[in-house]
Amino acid sequence: MTAEDTGIVLLSLRVAIVAVVLVLPVAFALAWLLARGRFPGRVIVDAIVHLPLVLPPVVTGWALLLLFGRMGPIGSLLERWFGVTVMFRWTGAVIAAAVMALPLMVRAIRLSIEAIDPRLEEAARTLGAGRARVFRTISLPLALPGVLAALVLGFARSLGEFGATISFVSNIPGETNTLPIAIYSAMQMPGGEDRVLHLAIISVILSLGALVASELMIRRSGSRAHVL
């Protein structure tokens, strides 16, 4: 790979990893709430969480632009209080990737939580275990395959994110020029077919590597839930 390609790959990996790490606690909390919670408006919350799956990514990017732009309610506060702006920065690409990965991660974790037999948790409570201990020793280990699957799905989704990212933070070399955006840019250039093929192969290798690594981790955990 050339130095430019290496920079693009490292930027893409950084954006995908940071997005997944940041969104994982949120995804787990939402998955637990949707799987175990019984409250008015649960259907609405469920629909809002999954909205990025059905919205055109460009619309999601436009909404992020309104929220995190310098005149937006969140962007203006970030700039005023912390002197931080995410516009045209790799941190903005992280936000776009995290928003697009969130529904897939919530779904994978939620299915895993719903598959836990509640009688196991009830039995532990009758033996005197507190809620925190039941969660730490029973619920969380049993939900772990779903968490691993969510990490892989979120990473793969973040790595392939394009529409929301280019709408929100545009194409800035060294800042937001991730693999999908670099591929799109190469497609617009006359004679860029070789570069498109080169970058596409790198994308396939990274995505396949993530899926295989996840499958191996899940098999080592002894779970019958598989990503592949």
Side-chain angles (χ1 to χ4, degrees), residues 151-183:
L151 286 171
V152 173
L153 289 171
F155 176 79
R157 183 65 187 86
S158 299
L159 200 62
E161 165 50 30
F162 172 75
T165 302
I166 200 165
S167 303
F168 179 34
V169 291
S170 189
N171 178 11
I172 309 297
E175 282 288 342
T176 65
N177 190 30
T178 56
L179 271 170
I181 293 177
I183 292 172

mmCIF file of all heavy atoms in Angstrom, residues 151-183:
data_model
loop_
_atom_site.group_PDB
_atom_site.id
_atom_site.type_symbol
_atom_site.label_atom_id
_atom_site.label_comp_id
_atom_site.label_asym_id
_atom_site.label_seq_id
_atom_site.Cartn_x
_atom_site.Cartn_y
_atom_site.Cartn_z
ATOM 1 N N LEU A 151 -20.594 -5.725 18.427
ATOM 2 C CA LEU A 151 -19.333 -5.036 18.145
ATOM 3 C C LEU A 151 -18.906 -5.228 16.696
ATOM 4 O O LEU A 151 -18.472 -4.284 16.022
ATOM 5 C CB LEU A 151 -18.243 -5.553 19.089
ATOM 6 C CG LEU A 151 -18.322 -5.069 20.546
ATOM 7 C CD1 LEU A 151 -17.324 -5.820 21.410
ATOM 8 C CD2 LEU A 151 -18.047 -3.571 20.619
ATOM 9 N N VAL A 152 -19.055 -6.455 16.212
ATOM 10 C CA VAL A 152 -18.643 -6.725 14.827
ATOM 11 C C VAL A 152 -19.561 -6.025 13.829
ATOM 12 O O VAL A 152 -19.098 -5.393 12.870
ATOM 13 C CB VAL A 152 -18.633 -8.242 14.564
ATOM 14 C CG1 VAL A 152 -18.378 -8.516 13.095
ATOM 15 C CG2 VAL A 152 -17.562 -8.901 15.393
ATOM 16 N N LEU A 153 -20.867 -6.143 14.082
ATOM 17 C CA LEU A 153 -21.811 -5.493 13.171
ATOM 18 C C LEU A 153 -21.601 -3.973 13.166
ATOM 19 O O LEU A 153 -21.629 -3.322 12.114
ATOM 20 C CB LEU A 153 -23.244 -5.821 13.580
ATOM 21 C CG LEU A 153 -23.699 -7.269 13.340
ATOM 22 C CD1 LEU A 153 -25.061 -7.510 13.983
ATOM 23 C CD2 LEU A 153 -23.767 -7.562 11.844
ATOM 24 N N GLY A 154 -21.398 -3.421 14.356
ATOM 25 C CA GLY A 154 -21.180 -1.977 14.456
ATOM 26 C C GLY A 154 -19.888 -1.553 13.779
ATOM 27 O O GLY A 154 -19.839 -0.530 13.088
ATOM 28 N N PHE A 155 -18.829 -2.360 13.972
ATOM 29 C CA PHE A 155 -17.545 -2.041 13.341
ATOM 30 C C PHE A 155 -17.672 -2.096 11.812
ATOM 31 O O PHE A 155 -17.200 -1.182 11.107
ATOM 32 C CB PHE A 155 -16.484 -3.027 13.819
ATOM 33 C CG PHE A 155 -15.153 -2.858 13.162
ATOM 34 C CD1 PHE A 155 -14.285 -1.856 13.566
ATOM 35 C CD2 PHE A 155 -14.765 -3.688 12.120
ATOM 36 C CE1 PHE A 155 -13.050 -1.688 12.953
ATOM 37 C CE2 PHE A 155 -13.542 -3.528 11.503
ATOM 38 C CZ PHE A 155 -12.683 -2.528 11.912
ATOM 39 N N ALA A 156 -18.309 -3.172 11.306
ATOM 40 C CA ALA A 156 -18.455 -3.308 9.855
ATOM 41 C C ALA A 156 -19.312 -2.176 9.283
ATOM 42 O O ALA A 156 -19.012 -1.631 8.211
ATOM 43 C CB ALA A 156 -19.064 -4.663 9.521
ATOM 44 N N ARG A 157 -20.380 -1.825 10.013
ATOM 45 C CA ARG A 157 -21.247 -0.737 9.546
ATOM 46 C C ARG A 157 -20.510 0.601 9.557
ATOM 47 O O ARG A 157 -20.646 1.409 8.632
ATOM 48 C CB ARG A 157 -22.499 -0.653 10.418
ATOM 49 C CG ARG A 157 -23.507 0.409 9.971
ATOM 50 C CD ARG A 157 -24.066 0.037 8.608
ATOM 51 N NE ARG A 157 -24.906 1.095 8.074
ATOM 52 C CZ ARG A 157 -24.445 2.136 7.376
ATOM 53 N NH1 ARG A 157 -23.134 2.258 7.144
ATOM 54 N NH2 ARG A 157 -25.271 3.044 6.895
ATOM 55 N N SER A 158 -19.727 0.817 10.605
ATOM 56 C CA SER A 158 -18.965 2.069 10.697
ATOM 57 C C SER A 158 -17.902 2.141 9.611
ATOM 58 O O SER A 158 -17.652 3.207 9.035
ATOM 59 C CB SER A 158 -18.312 2.178 12.075
ATOM 60 O OG SER A 158 -19.276 2.190 13.092
ATOM 61 N N LEU A 159 -17.279 1.000 9.343
ATOM 62 C CA LEU A 159 -16.228 0.969 8.328
ATOM 63 C C LEU A 159 -16.788 1.273 6.930
ATOM 64 O O LEU A 159 -16.113 1.866 6.093
ATOM 65 C CB LEU A 159 -15.572 -0.420 8.322
ATOM 66 C CG LEU A 159 -14.186 -0.545 7.712
ATOM 67 C CD1 LEU A 159 -13.179 0.314 8.479
ATOM 68 C CD2 LEU A 159 -13.740 -2.005 7.729
ATOM 69 N N GLY A 160 -18.045 0.888 6.708
ATOM 70 C CA GLY A 160 -18.647 1.106 5.393
ATOM 71 C C GLY A 160 -19.509 2.346 5.309
ATOM 72 O O GLY A 160 -20.139 2.595 4.274
ATOM 73 N N GLU A 161 -19.553 3.133 6.386
ATOM 74 C CA GLU A 161 -20.417 4.315 6.394
ATOM 75 C C GLU A 161 -19.987 5.345 5.345
ATOM 76 O O GLU A 161 -18.821 5.689 5.230
ATOM 77 C CB GLU A 161 -20.393 4.933 7.796
ATOM 78 C CG GLU A 161 -20.929 6.340 7.896
ATOM 79 C CD GLU A 161 -22.283 6.516 7.240
ATOM 80 O OE1 GLU A 161 -23.074 5.571 7.187
ATOM 81 O OE2 GLU A 161 -22.544 7.613 6.733
ATOM 82 N N PHE A 162 -20.970 5.841 4.592
ATOM 83 C CA PHE A 162 -20.663 6.809 3.543
ATOM 84 C C PHE A 162 -21.635 7.987 3.526
ATOM 85 O O PHE A 162 -21.247 9.144 3.686
ATOM 86 C CB PHE A 162 -20.681 6.106 2.176
ATOM 87 C CG PHE A 162 -20.556 7.065 1.022
ATOM 88 C CD1 PHE A 162 -19.328 7.653 0.726
ATOM 89 C CD2 PHE A 162 -21.661 7.405 0.240
ATOM 90 C CE1 PHE A 162 -19.197 8.548 -0.325
ATOM 91 C CE2 PHE A 162 -21.550 8.303 -0.808
ATOM 92 C CZ PHE A 162 -20.311 8.870 -1.093
ATOM 93 N N GLY A 163 -22.928 7.693 3.333
ATOM 94 C CA GLY A 163 -23.906 8.755 3.066
ATOM 95 C C GLY A 163 -24.006 9.806 4.148
ATOM 96 O O GLY A 163 -23.957 11.013 3.874
ATOM 97 N N ALA A 164 -24.149 9.356 5.413
ATOM 98 C CA ALA A 164 -24.278 10.324 6.505
ATOM 99 C C ALA A 164 -22.968 11.086 6.713
ATOM 100 O O ALA A 164 -22.980 12.281 7.006
ATOM 101 C CB ALA A 164 -24.681 9.601 7.795
ATOM 102 N N THR A 165 -21.848 10.383 6.525
ATOM 103 C CA THR A 165 -20.547 11.024 6.750
ATOM 104 C C THR A 165 -20.283 12.138 5.755
ATOM 105 O O THR A 165 -19.906 13.251 6.127
ATOM 106 C CB THR A 165 -19.421 9.968 6.659
ATOM 107 O OG1 THR A 165 -19.666 8.944 7.620
ATOM 108 C CG2 THR A 165 -18.061 10.598 6.942
ATOM 109 N N ILE A 166 -20.485 11.857 4.472
ATOM 110 C CA ILE A 166 -20.165 12.878 3.463
ATOM 111 C C ILE A 166 -21.148 14.045 3.527
ATOM 112 O O ILE A 166 -20.807 15.182 3.191
ATOM 113 C CB ILE A 166 -20.113 12.253 2.058
ATOM 114 C CG1 ILE A 166 -19.314 13.163 1.135
ATOM 115 C CG2 ILE A 166 -21.512 11.982 1.511
ATOM 116 C CD1 ILE A 166 -18.897 12.510 -0.156
ATOM 117 N N SER A 167 -22.397 13.767 3.982
ATOM 118 C CA SER A 167 -23.361 14.863 4.142
ATOM 119 C C SER A 167 -23.008 15.725 5.342
ATOM 120 O O SER A 167 -23.217 16.936 5.336
ATOM 121 C CB SER A 167 -24.780 14.303 4.323
ATOM 122 O OG SER A 167 -25.138 13.487 3.250
ATOM 123 N N PHE A 168 -22.461 15.088 6.378
ATOM 124 C CA PHE A 168 -22.230 15.785 7.646
ATOM 125 C C PHE A 168 -20.864 16.482 7.665
ATOM 126 O O PHE A 168 -20.756 17.658 8.036
ATOM 127 C CB PHE A 168 -22.342 14.769 8.780
ATOM 128 C CG PHE A 168 -22.112 15.334 10.148
ATOM 129 C CD1 PHE A 168 -22.502 16.621 10.488
ATOM 130 C CD2 PHE A 168 -21.522 14.559 11.128
ATOM 131 C CE1 PHE A 168 -22.288 17.133 11.756
ATOM 132 C CE2 PHE A 168 -21.307 15.058 12.392
ATOM 133 C CZ PHE A 168 -21.690 16.348 12.706
ATOM 134 N N VAL A 169 -19.797 15.758 7.285
ATOM 135 C CA VAL A 169 -18.448 16.327 7.440
ATOM 136 C C VAL A 169 -17.680 16.399 6.126
ATOM 137 O O VAL A 169 -16.476 16.705 6.131
ATOM 138 C CB VAL A 169 -17.631 15.520 8.484
ATOM 139 C CG1 VAL A 169 -18.182 15.733 9.868
ATOM 140 C CG2 VAL A 169 -17.617 14.047 8.134
ATOM 141 N N SER A 170 -18.349 16.097 5.015
ATOM 142 C CA SER A 170 -17.757 16.240 3.683
ATOM 143 C C SER A 170 -16.522 15.348 3.510
ATOM 144 O O SER A 170 -16.296 14.414 4.284
ATOM 145 C CB SER A 170 -17.422 17.712 3.436
ATOM 146 O OG SER A 170 -17.045 17.900 2.092
ATOM 147 N N ASN A 171 -15.732 15.635 2.482
ATOM 148 C CA ASN A 171 -14.563 14.831 2.151
ATOM 149 C C ASN A 171 -13.307 15.683 2.343
ATOM 150 O O ASN A 171 -12.909 16.438 1.459
ATOM 151 C CB ASN A 171 -14.669 14.337 0.696
ATOM 152 C CG ASN A 171 -13.461 13.537 0.275
ATOM 153 O OD1 ASN A 171 -12.622 13.164 1.093
ATOM 154 N ND2 ASN A 171 -13.360 13.265 -1.018
ATOM 155 N N ILE A 172 -12.692 15.555 3.519
ATOM 156 C CA ILE A 172 -11.492 16.331 3.844
ATOM 157 C C ILE A 172 -10.324 15.352 3.948
ATOM 158 O O ILE A 172 -10.308 14.513 4.856
ATOM 159 C CB ILE A 172 -11.647 17.093 5.179
ATOM 160 C CG1 ILE A 172 -12.957 17.902 5.189
ATOM 161 C CG2 ILE A 172 -10.439 17.984 5.414
ATOM 162 C CD1 ILE A 172 -13.023 18.979 4.134
ATOM 163 N N PRO A 173 -9.334 15.443 3.063
ATOM 164 C CA PRO A 173 -8.192 14.526 3.132
ATOM 165 C C PRO A 173 -7.512 14.569 4.492
ATOM 166 O O PRO A 173 -7.229 15.641 5.026
ATOM 167 C CB PRO A 173 -7.259 15.042 2.024
ATOM 168 C CG PRO A 173 -8.168 15.727 1.062
ATOM 169 C CD PRO A 173 -9.245 16.344 1.899
ATOM 170 N N GLY A 174 -7.282 13.377 5.040
ATOM 171 C CA GLY A 174 -6.611 13.285 6.342
ATOM 172 C C GLY A 174 -7.530 13.448 7.524
ATOM 173 O O GLY A 174 -7.132 13.201 8.657
ATOM 174 N N GLU A 175 -8.775 13.898 7.308
ATOM 175 C CA GLU A 175 -9.705 14.115 8.416
ATOM 176 C C GLU A 175 -10.948 13.247 8.287
ATOM 177 O O GLU A 175 -11.344 12.575 9.237
ATOM 178 C CB GLU A 175 -10.120 15.596 8.485
ATOM 179 C CG GLU A 175 -9.081 16.497 9.119
ATOM 180 C CD GLU A 175 -8.970 16.302 10.628
ATOM 181 O OE1 GLU A 175 -9.887 15.746 11.246
ATOM 182 O OE2 GLU A 175 -7.930 16.702 11.182
ATOM 183 N N THR A 176 -11.579 13.305 7.102
ATOM 184 C CA THR A 176 -12.828 12.540 6.921
ATOM 185 C C THR A 176 -12.769 11.645 5.690
ATOM 186 O O THR A 176 -13.787 11.083 5.305
ATOM 187 C CB THR A 176 -14.028 13.503 6.785
ATOM 188 O OG1 THR A 176 -13.871 14.276 5.582
ATOM 189 C CG2 THR A 176 -14.103 14.454 7.961
ATOM 190 N N ASN A 177 -11.590 11.520 5.105
ATOM 191 C CA ASN A 177 -11.461 10.740 3.862
ATOM 192 C C ASN A 177 -11.292 9.259 4.190
ATOM 193 O O ASN A 177 -10.215 8.681 4.049
ATOM 194 C CB ASN A 177 -10.246 11.251 3.071
ATOM 195 C CG ASN A 177 -10.202 10.666 1.680
ATOM 196 O OD1 ASN A 177 -11.230 10.353 1.097
ATOM 197 N ND2 ASN A 177 -8.997 10.495 1.160
ATOM 198 N N THR A 178 -12.391 8.629 4.634
ATOM 199 C CA THR A 178 -12.365 7.211 4.985
ATOM 200 C C THR A 178 -12.436 6.362 3.718
ATOM 201 O O THR A 178 -12.587 6.884 2.606
ATOM 202 C CB THR A 178 -13.535 6.881 5.919
ATOM 203 O OG1 THR A 178 -14.755 7.276 5.281
ATOM 204 C CG2 THR A 178 -13.402 7.617 7.239
ATOM 205 N N LEU A 179 -12.365 5.040 3.882
ATOM 206 C CA LEU A 179 -12.330 4.154 2.713
ATOM 207 C C LEU A 179 -13.508 4.348 1.749
ATOM 208 O O LEU A 179 -13.286 4.502 0.532
ATOM 209 C CB LEU A 179 -12.274 2.693 3.178
ATOM 210 C CG LEU A 179 -10.872 2.115 3.411
ATOM 211 C CD1 LEU A 179 -10.965 0.760 4.100
ATOM 212 C CD2 LEU A 179 -10.142 1.973 2.074
ATOM 213 N N PRO A 180 -14.761 4.340 2.234
ATOM 214 C CA PRO A 180 -15.872 4.518 1.286
ATOM 215 C C PRO A 180 -15.799 5.845 0.531
ATOM 216 O O PRO A 180 -16.089 5.905 -0.666
ATOM 217 C CB PRO A 180 -17.121 4.457 2.178
ATOM 218 C CG PRO A 180 -16.684 3.752 3.398
ATOM 219 C CD PRO A 180 -15.251 4.101 3.602
ATOM 220 N N ILE A 181 -15.412 6.912 1.233
ATOM 221 C CA ILE A 181 -15.329 8.216 0.587
ATOM 222 C C ILE A 181 -14.161 8.254 -0.399
ATOM 223 O O ILE A 181 -14.268 8.839 -1.494
ATOM 224 C CB ILE A 181 -15.203 9.328 1.661
ATOM 225 C CG1 ILE A 181 -16.504 9.396 2.463
ATOM 226 C CG2 ILE A 181 -14.911 10.677 1.012
ATOM 227 C CD1 ILE A 181 -16.476 10.399 3.599
ATOM 228 N N ALA A 182 -13.043 7.595 -0.038
ATOM 229 C CA ALA A 182 -11.903 7.529 -0.958
ATOM 230 C C ALA A 182 -12.279 6.741 -2.219
ATOM 231 O O ALA A 182 -11.874 7.102 -3.337
ATOM 232 C CB ALA A 182 -10.710 6.887 -0.255
ATOM 233 N N ILE A 183 -13.057 5.671 -2.047
ATOM 234 C CA ILE A 183 -13.504 4.881 -3.204
ATOM 235 C C ILE A 183 -14.417 5.724 -4.097
ATOM 236 O O ILE A 183 -14.281 5.731 -5.326
ATOM 237 C CB ILE A 183 -14.226 3.601 -2.728
ATOM 238 C CG1 ILE A 183 -13.232 2.650 -2.061
ATOM 239 C CG2 ILE A 183 -14.920 2.905 -3.893
ATOM 240 C CD1 ILE A 183 -13.869 1.448 -1.398
#
